[in-house]
Amino acid sequence: MDKPVRIFIVEDERRIARFLQIELEHEGFETEIEENGTRAYERIMQGNFDLVLLDVMLPGMDGMTICKRVREVSSLPIIMLTAKDEVEDKVAGLDIGADDYMTKPFAIEELMARIRNALRKHVPDNGGVPLEERLQVKNLVMYPKRYEVEVDGETVHLTKKEYSLLEYMMRNKRTVLTRDQILEKVWGYDYSGDTNVVDVYIRYLRAKLDDRFHEKYIYTVRGVGYAVKE
């Protein structure tokens, strides 16, 4: 039996999100809902969905930014949902890689048709096998599902915590992350040790990446935190 198509509803208006969930599940789709843009981006990048219904106006990270970042590493079908009806907004959404664009309010029948169309058009480049997720900065490539890191094809061996730290930074590349943000995400909410542990692990990563391959990946923003940049 074929696996049900999994649709991720990213919508901060709970009434609309719940309505979409009921209608989609009635049609046989599996669904999950997220109302915060930043969390939605992180969940999308875990590679567990077949299509995303993405609202434009979201707390945390807006839909346009999410779509643009996802398109850097994935061809996952994305249908933008918005209350805006301006042509410029639709053009902007399509130009950054959205598969389709619908303006609220819309007929659920039309949305279903557009979902089916987006899924039909989404033919993976490797003969039907879903494209493997990869995160990349310059010549540094991470394969999250394989738990592997390579630089110019050469394997880099990292500890579990080093890997988690690098993955978090690569998923948020170009974003300056504070020590508190890194501690919370990589070490957990209940971590009560020294915040200096972040600096220590940044040094470990630099030794294995920047120093070893003579290329700068991890940048320090003095007084703020750290960032991975192109």
Side-chain angles (χ1 to χ4, degrees):
M1 180 182 292
D2 292 338
K3 291 172 57 180
V5 172
R6 304 189 73 237
I7 295 181
F8 191 27
I9 303 166
V10 184
E11 168 64 70
D12 64 332
E13 293 187 51
R14 295 184 180 181
R15 179 181 57 82
I16 295 176
R18 181 58 181 152
F19 168 72
L20 290 172
Q21 183 175 47
I22 291 170
E23 293 292 338
L24 289 166
E25 292 185 352
H26 178 72
E27 293 293 323
F29 296 109
E30 287 188 357
T31 65
E32 290 189 33
I33 295 174
E34 177 56 68
E35 60 184 32
N36 178 276
T38 304
R39 290 195 300 268
Y41 172 70
E42 294 174 354
R43 292 174 64 181
I44 290 169
M45 296 307 291
Q46 291 171 4
N48 295 325
F49 302 105
D50 299 301
L51 182 143
V52 179
L53 297 178
L54 181 60
D55 189 28
V56 172
M57 303 299 291
L58 295 165
M61 184 187 297
D62 66 86
M64 293 289 188
T65 302
I66 293 172
C67 184
K68 185 176 181 180
R69 291 192 178 185
V70 170
R71 277 294 168 266
E72 294 176 355
V73 296
S74 172
S75 59
L76 174 72
I78 297 174
I79 298 178
M80 307 291 289
L81 306 176
T82 182
K84 295 183 178 181
D85 196 22
E86 289 83 359
V87 172
E88 292 81 1
D89 291 309
K90 294 183 179 181
V91 170
L94 295 171
D95 278 348
I96 60 175
D99 293 83
D100 210 338
Y101 200 108
M102 293 200 68
T103 304
K104 304 173 191 173
F106 47 78
I108 194 66
E109 294 81 7
E110 181 181 0
L111 176 60
M112 294 298 178
R114 294 188 182 225
I115 288 173
R116 290 191 292 268
N117 186 53
L119 291 170
R120 278 196 300 269
K121 291 191 301 182
H122 180 60
V123 179
D125 301 330
N126 54 352
V129 178
L131 295 174
E132 180 175 20
E133 182 192 3
R134 53 183 272 167
L135 306 176
Q136 184 164 359
V137 175
K138 301 178 185 177
N139 57 344
L140 168 64
V141 181
M142 172 179 281
Y143 299 95
K145 290 189 176 180
R146 283 196 261 158
Y147 204 77
E148 291 179 2
V149 175
E150 296 178 350
V151 174
D152 286 334
E154 184 175 344
T155 299
V156 180
H157 298 287
L158 302 178
T159 66
K160 187 175 186 300
K161 196 62 71 177
E162 290 168 352
Y163 185 94
S164 297
L165 173 58
L166 181 62
E167 181 178 7
Y168 177 52
M169 296 182 73
M170 289 184 72
R171 289 190 185 279
N172 295 276
K173 63 182 178 181
R174 298 188 297 273
T175 300
V176 180
L177 302 168
T178 66
R179 289 173 178 81
D180 286 342
Q181 286 177 308
I182 294 172
L183 275 174
E184 181 179 300
K185 187 66 179 180
V186 180
W187 274 266
Y189 293 96
D190 55 352
Y191 178 78
S192 58
D194 189 349
T195 58
N196 187 53
V197 71
V198 174
D199 305 310
V200 172
Y201 273 81
I202 289 290
R203 288 201 299 271
Y204 291 162
L205 283 178
R206 281 178 168 155
K208 292 184 177 183
L209 297 170
D210 299 41
D211 299 347
R212 175 180 170 186
F213 295 99
H214 309 290
E215 179 70 74
K216 192 166 183 64
Y217 304 103
I218 302 172
Y219 292 77
T220 299
V221 179
R222 195 168 300 280
V224 184
Y226 299 103
V228 164
K229 299 180 182 180
E230 298 283 4

